[in-house]
Amino acid sequence: MNNFPKIINVFPLSNFIIFPNTTVPLNIFEPRYLDMVNDSMKSDKLIGMIQPKNSRDENDVPKLHHVGCLGKITSFRETEDGRYLIELKGKIRFQIINEINTDKKYRSVEVDYNNYLDDLSDEKEELNFSDLELIFKDLKSLFEKRGFIINWKALEKQSLNETINALAMASPFSLEEKQILLEAKNLDIRKNKIAEILKTYIFDDYENTTLQ
């Protein structure tokens, strides 16, 4: 815990979440976030990923959700046209206490990690793939309808934890739905939340089919 800073720089990105122990590629091209990555590489290589809300404050700045995930840059490459290609590995989720005023172009926040200390545990949750067959079936159907291509065989070789989190991250769910999954306290709750969200999509598809 003492290795994680109380004030972090954040990258607001809609419909994008990461979980602890998952690694995601990012293509950085906006000048303020190039600056943020530069500053991060010179210090602790840590960046907070968080979703902006659909609402804005009085200065027309997007408001932020209260929960995000701290990530560490594990791979860095600069392209010929000045972009940064990085890989970010999730470490621990955080809750925003307040935003910090700085002279930087990017945003910084004061955070608290206490609600998500379990993210640092090596213990694996006892859930079986057999419990998730229906969820996977419905997810496959939804992904196919939305034109998403997933290597399901590769996913099934991962741990259950990695599989559920990868599907939550890659899913064609809304910003708000992904935020619900990010804030779910543990894997079992996240599994149930995915099932609940999928029910609404299945119901909508049924209603549309019936109306036609």
Side-chain angles (χ1 to χ4, degrees), residues 43 50 63 65 68-69 77 82 84 86 99 111 125 128 136 141 147 153 161 167-169 177 208:
S43 56
I50 195 152
K63 295 181 180 179
H65 279 278
C69 186
R77 183 168 69 87
Y84 293 160
I86 67 172
E99 188 155 357
V111 298
E125 307 232 15
N128 298 319
F136 281 177
S141 175
K153 294 294 183 185
N161 178 314
L167 289 173
M169 286 162 45
E177 289 164 340
N208 290 334

Side-chain angles (χ1 to χ4, degrees), residues 37-50:
V37 170
N38 265 328
D39 291 344
S40 175
M41 291 297 293
K42 293 174 185 175
S43 56
D44 51 20
K45 299 184 180 179
L46 296 172
I47 292 174
M49 297 301 302
I50 195 152

Side-chain angles (χ1 to χ4, degrees), residues 5-212:
K6 299 298 183 187
I7 296 177
I8 63 173
N9 304 322
V10 290
F11 187 179
L13 197 57
S14 292
N15 287 86
F16 184 90
I17 55 174
I18 65 170
F19 289 100
N21 300 313
T22 59
T23 301
V24 294
L26 287 170
N27 176 18
I28 312 294
F29 55 87
E30 197 171 338
R32 55 182 164 174
Y33 297 124
L34 291 172
D35 288 348
M36 183 181 68
V37 170
N38 265 328
D39 291 344
S40 175
M41 291 297 293
K42 293 174 185 175
S43 56
D44 51 20
K45 299 184 180 179
L46 296 172
I47 292 174
M49 297 301 302
I50 195 152
Q51 291 200 116
K53 294 183 178 179
N54 291 321
S55 57
R56 294 175 176 265
D57 63 17
E58 61 274 9
N59 297 316
D60 200 34
V61 176
K63 295 181 180 179
L64 301 176
H65 279 278
H66 294 300
V67 175
C69 186
L70 185 69
K72 185 166 187 174
I73 297 173
T74 56
S75 173
F76 172 92
R77 183 168 69 87
E78 184 174 2
T79 65
E80 291 184 359
D81 59 0
R83 292 175 293 116
Y84 293 160
L85 303 178
I86 67 172
E87 288 189 353
L88 198 67
K89 182 174 182 179
K91 291 295 183 181
I92 184 173
R93 287 171 290 172
F94 60 81
Q95 187 166 2
I96 291 179
I97 299 174
N98 57 61
E99 188 155 357
I100 306 297
N101 290 322
T102 72
D103 58 356
K104 305 289 187 182
K105 296 177 182 176
Y106 50 83
R107 301 169 73 173
S108 299
V109 295
E110 181 182 1
V111 298
D112 180 80
Y113 305 101
N114 286 314
N115 285 345
Y116 298 103
L117 295 183
D118 287 346
D119 291 347
L120 302 176
S121 172
D122 290 330
E123 292 183 11
K124 301 297 182 183
E125 307 232 15
E126 292 299 322
L127 288 174
N128 298 319
F129 272 107
S130 58
D131 299 331
L132 300 171
E133 286 181 355
L134 184 58
I135 291 179
F136 281 177
K137 177 183 175 183
D138 291 338
L139 269 172
K140 284 182 180 180
S141 175
L142 179 61
F143 273 67
E144 289 169 1
K145 287 178 180 177
R146 299 298 173 92
F148 284 58
I149 299 174
I150 298 292
N151 186 342
W152 297 95
K153 294 294 183 185
L155 275 182
E156 289 170 2
K157 294 177 182 177
Q158 297 181 349
S159 72
L160 189 59
N161 178 314
E162 292 170 330
T163 301
I164 289 181
N165 289 343
L167 289 173
M169 286 162 45
S171 67
F173 294 157
S174 70
L175 182 157
E176 291 78 11
E177 289 164 340
K178 286 192 174 184
Q179 190 64 29
I180 288 171
L181 298 179
L182 178 65
E183 295 181 17
K185 186 69 175 177
N186 56 46
L187 193 65
D188 195 31
I189 294 174
R190 189 168 302 127
K191 177 204 70 172
N192 292 331
K193 292 294 183 184
I194 290 177
E196 290 173 12
I197 293 170
L198 281 170
K199 284 180 183 177
T200 66
Y201 282 87
I202 294 168
F203 178 77
D204 288 344
D205 286 344
Y206 173 77
E207 284 288 289
N208 290 334
T209 303
T210 303
L211 287 172
Q212 291 172 359

